[in-house]
Amino acid sequence: MFSFFRKKPPTPPEPAPAAPAPTTTAAPVVAPQAPTPVVAAPAPLVVVPAPVPVAPPAAEPRKGWLDKLKAGLRKTGSSIATVFTGTQIDDALYEELETALLMADTGVKATEHLLADLKKRVKDSKTTDPAAVKGLLAESIAELLAPLQKRLVIGEHKPTVIMVAGVNGAGKTTSIGKLTRHLANEGATVLLAAADTFRAAAREQLAVWADRNTVEIITQEGGDPAAVSFDAVTAGKARGRDVVLVDTAGRLPTQLHLMEELKKIKRVVQKADPSSPHEVLLVIDGNTGQNALMQVKAFDEALGLTGLVITKLDGTAKGGVICAIARERPVPIYFIGVGEKLEDLETFDAKEFAQALLN
């Protein structure tokens, strides 16, 4: 099983005086004999208790993940790879490569950087074989992306409050479900906040993920998103949860009044815990091309992003936009996704991605 975050161990408590031995020993988890009822809470707060945990399936080896990523980025890799099938390294090769990188949504600034760096590498290595240039380009891309490679840290705060944003259709709620599974696999206790209160079936969708991952969820039907978030953080603190994941409503960065609502959620969460939110993640659809860079810039200015989750790299996604983000708005990438399964979300590795991008 892979480890995708560093979890700091809690400080050991002071030894307590010995108590009389209990007549029975409590098990870590007690299986209910009947379906667990909804726990009553002051209206309009609803708390859905978690069912008995089920042992998760073993994670696929990292190699299997890399194969999936290569398959997802095959279209981009093929178009770039054809550039290196010639017989000599000349201006024509670099012009074709420039076109291929731009077509892969790498962006003008990142493309110029990569070409300049590649020419220097070719000169320094005295390479004469066009096929070898492909390997040098992979090294250049990996070096460009290296600052984005960062691990999510859980344990510095309890609970660690993670606010998740993104436009509708980016895969935000699904990514939260996958992230919840990974957190649970690593032994972290999670509480979900369904702060996307107005989208049809949004609460139900998150509730399904909560049930699959055997975690609790805080909801309010038609309630104020900021109030739901406040209640969730308060409940997370009271119950000693390791993580509170807040699913916010999807919106476009051009919808200024809705972006203001996101800012409000952040302010209200800080009232429940002045140090929170500890992470502000943006989920991006890998198929949106250069628009993804615009989203990163807009949400970062509004919320102060700490990390990205890039999804849907298994379809028509070109992948080069990650290079554009690295060059123009280097927000760390915590996870990338290549499918709908729980195991299809993995930590971002710069070298792996560069290799997959060029196949």
Side-chain angles (χ1 to χ4, degrees), residues 7 42 64 84 202 209 212 242 279 291 307-308 325 337 351-352:
K7 183 174 179 181
F84 305 106
W209 284 108
R212 288 181 185 177
D242 294 315
E279 298 282 352
N291 188 45
L308 304 176
I325 291 172
K351 186 176 180 179
E352 282 184 355

Side-chain angles (χ1 to χ4, degrees), residues 7-348:
K7 183 174 179 181
K8 294 194 175 182
T11 303
E14 293 294 329
T23 57
T24 60
T25 301
V29 179
V30 179
Q33 299 301 317
T36 308
V38 174
V39 178
L45 180 64
V46 179
V47 181
V48 182
V52 178
V54 178
E60 291 187 22
R62 191 79 184 183
K63 182 181 181 302
W65 157 257
L66 184 56
D67 290 340
K68 288 184 179 181
L69 184 58
K70 286 181 178 179
L73 297 173
R74 182 170 293 135
K75 183 177 180 181
T76 301
S78 298
S79 64
I80 296 177
T82 57
V83 174
F84 305 106
T85 57
T87 59
Q88 58 183 342
I89 303 172
D90 53 16
D91 290 341
L93 182 146
Y94 289 119
E95 288 177 4
E96 289 180 26
L97 179 57
E98 180 180 15
T99 300
L101 289 173
L102 291 173
M103 292 296 292
D105 289 326
T106 305
V108 175
K109 292 183 180 180
T111 297
E112 290 176 347
H113 168 81
L114 289 173
L115 287 174
D117 185 66
L118 179 61
K119 290 178 181 178
K120 183 178 183 301
R121 290 174 186 268
V122 170
K123 181 179 179 181
D124 292 344
S125 64
K126 296 180 173 57
T127 299
T128 58
D129 181 8
V133 180
K134 180 180 175 182
L136 295 176
L137 177 60
E139 294 176 3
S140 181
I141 292 175
E143 185 176 292
L144 174 64
L145 300 181
L148 303 187
Q149 184 177 318
K150 184 180 178 182
R151 294 294 180 260
L152 178 62
V153 177
I154 302 298
E156 291 183 347
H157 305 274
K158 190 164 184 175
T160 297
V161 180
I162 303 175
M163 182 176 169
V164 186
V167 304
N168 284 327
K172 176 172 54 64
T173 302
T174 300
S175 295
I176 289 175
K178 294 176 182 178
L179 177 55
T180 301
R181 168 57 64 91
H182 288 312
L183 287 163
N185 284 353
E186 294 294 331
T189 55
V190 183
L191 181 66
L192 298 180
D196 189 353
T197 58
F198 299 110
R199 180 170 68 87
R203 294 182 307 115
E204 290 79 1
Q205 182 184 0
L206 192 63
V208 169
W209 284 108
D211 182 61
R212 288 181 185 177
N213 293 304
T214 64
V215 299
E216 293 178 323
I217 180 173
I218 304 295
T219 72
Q220 281 184 17
E221 184 175 359
D224 179 67
V228 176
S229 304
F230 180 89
D231 290 338
V233 175
T234 302
K237 292 175 65 176
R239 299 172 196 181
R241 296 296 182 264
D242 294 315
V243 180
V244 174
L245 272 170
V246 182
D247 180 16
T248 64
R251 64 217 43 227
L252 294 173
T254 54
Q255 297 171 309
L256 299 181
H257 63 295
L258 295 180
M259 292 295 283
E260 287 299 320
E261 185 180 83
L262 278 180
K263 295 179 184 178
K264 177 185 175 183
I265 292 176
K266 184 176 181 180
R267 291 195 303 269
V268 171
V269 163
Q270 288 172 337
K271 292 181 179 179
D273 182 347
S275 68
S276 67
H278 308 107
E279 298 282 352
V280 181
L281 308 185
L282 177 66
V283 178
I284 299 173
D285 183 341
N287 295 288
T288 55
Q290 284 294 299
N291 188 45
L293 177 60
M294 296 174 60
Q295 291 177 25
V296 173
K297 290 180 177 179
F299 279 92
D300 190 28
E301 290 173 0
L303 299 173
L305 299 176
T306 62
L308 304 176
V309 179
I310 301 181
T311 66
K312 304 181 183 181
L313 290 174
D314 55 331
T316 59
K318 298 176 181 178
V321 69
I322 294 183
C323 296
I325 291 172
R327 190 63 180 169
E328 300 184 47
R329 203 75 170 201
V331 177
I333 299 175
Y334 285 144
F335 304 96
I336 54 178
V338 295
E340 295 299 322
K341 297 180 181 179
L342 284 171
E343 63 270 20
D344 289 339
L345 187 75
E346 256 288 9
T347 50
F348 174 72

